[in-house]
Amino acid sequence: EHITKHPLQNRWALWFFKNDKSKTWQDNLQLVTKFDTVEDFWALYSHIQLASKLTSGCDYSLFKDGIEPMWEDNWNKCGGRWLITLAKQQRHTELDRFWLETLLCLIGEMFSDYSDDVCGAVINIRTKGDKIAIWTREAENQDAVIHIGRIYKEHLGLSSKVVIGYQAHADTATKSGSLMKNKFVV
Amino acid sequence: GKKQYGREFLLDFQFMPACV
């Protein structure tokens, strides 16, 4: 029998961030590995810690090969993110499921033609509440952004009463907290 | 064409032994 791995549309890079205040932000960001098949994705996924087991201040990022998980990257700077903010108790109930669904949406290219607008996804483990976001490349591509948001919300199994927001990185970089404005909501 | 995979298809591989 002829056995081959199942190729993904894109090669993806997993990054790990661990907050060490004695180092610069960039030094704290490490490339873990890259993969481009379904089988290699699962080999990696089963080898690493679940997000809920990471310590506060840590992030995982999964981005298309060639895109760094930071606003400043050329692929990201005009883009933004669909942000899921979780309540503290959701770390034990939904965080890992949400993150896995996010990863599957990315590697499976589940946003049809608009998948090209996806840059990657980030999960932030924080004491005050964890966050998951899908980053897209162009905040002005309204059709793409809205489509991605709707499909994403569906895959997370969020009820229609839950509203999620999309913020442009340019706005996030200059504002903070309650001043952060949603460019779109679904 | 584009390599698009659905959720169920991807999950089917989660616990498969790795192939060479």
Side-chain angles (χ1 to χ4, degrees):
Chain A
E1 199 179 328
H2 199 71
I3 299 171
T4 52
K5 294 184 186 179
H6 295 74
L8 300 172
Q9 178 68 29
N10 283 288
R11 172 174 285 122
W12 296 87
L14 180 76
W15 300 76
F16 179 64
F17 178 90
K18 189 173 168 62
N19 193 16
D20 178 345
K21 291 196 169 69
S22 69
K23 293 185 189 166
T24 65
W25 189 89
Q26 292 226 7
D27 285 341
N28 283 330
L29 182 68
Q30 299 287 331
L31 173 66
V32 179
T33 191
K34 298 179 181 182
F35 59 87
D36 60 5
T37 67
V38 177
E39 286 81 355
D40 289 348
F41 163 73
W42 286 116
L44 172 63
Y45 182 80
S46 56
H47 184 71
I48 58 173
Q49 284 278 15
L50 285 172
S52 62
K53 301 279 186 268
L54 297 177
T55 54
S56 277
C58 289
D59 304 335
Y60 279 137
S61 301
L62 187 77
F63 274 74
K64 287 177 180 168
D65 188 19
I67 307 180
E68 297 203 322
M70 53 187 82
W71 298 334
E72 298 88 341
D73 190 283
N74 278 336
W75 283 92
N76 294 323
K77 63 183 180 189
C78 299
R81 60 177 181 171
W82 280 110
L83 179 64
I84 312 294
T85 53
L86 292 98
K88 281 183 189 180
Q89 64 270 22
Q90 286 179 290
R91 184 179 296 176
H92 307 291
T93 55
E94 278 158 322
L95 183 74
D96 292 326
R97 184 177 69 79
F98 280 0
W99 179 236
L100 179 56
E101 294 296 340
T102 305
L103 298 175
L104 297 181
C105 281
L106 263 52
I107 67 167
E109 310 280 331
M110 292 188 201
F111 307 108
S112 55
D113 286 347
Y114 295 122
S115 284
D116 290 344
D117 263 61
V118 171
C119 295
V122 182
I123 182 166
N124 309 118
I125 304 303
R126 299 292 182 271
T127 316
K128 59 187 177 184
D130 305 320
K131 290 186 277 189
I132 298 177
I134 287 188
W135 289 29
T136 76
R137 67 179 177 87
E138 176 54 68
E140 300 299 327
N141 286 354
Q142 181 168 347
D143 290 352
V145 171
I146 297 285
H147 179 83
I148 290 166
R150 285 191 181 138
I151 299 291
Y152 185 35
K153 193 176 158 181
E154 202 176 294
H155 277 270
L156 294 181
L158 298 177
S159 101
S160 54
K161 289 176 198 154
V162 177
V163 173
I164 62 171
Y166 181 91
Q167 298 131 21
H169 295 316
D171 292 343
T172 312
T174 54
K175 294 165 195 157
S176 64
S178 55
L179 293 172
M180 213 138 80
K181 212 173 160 226
N182 288 328
K183 194 173 172 70
F184 305 105
V185 293
V186 292
Chain B
K2 222 176 205 164
K3 291 175 182 66
Q4 297 176 315
Y5 300 115
R7 176 180 185 277
E8 305 307 322
F9 179 88
L10 292 171
L11 284 169
D12 274 348
F13 291 87
Q14 185 170 10
F15 301 111
M16 273 190 189
C19 58
V20 188

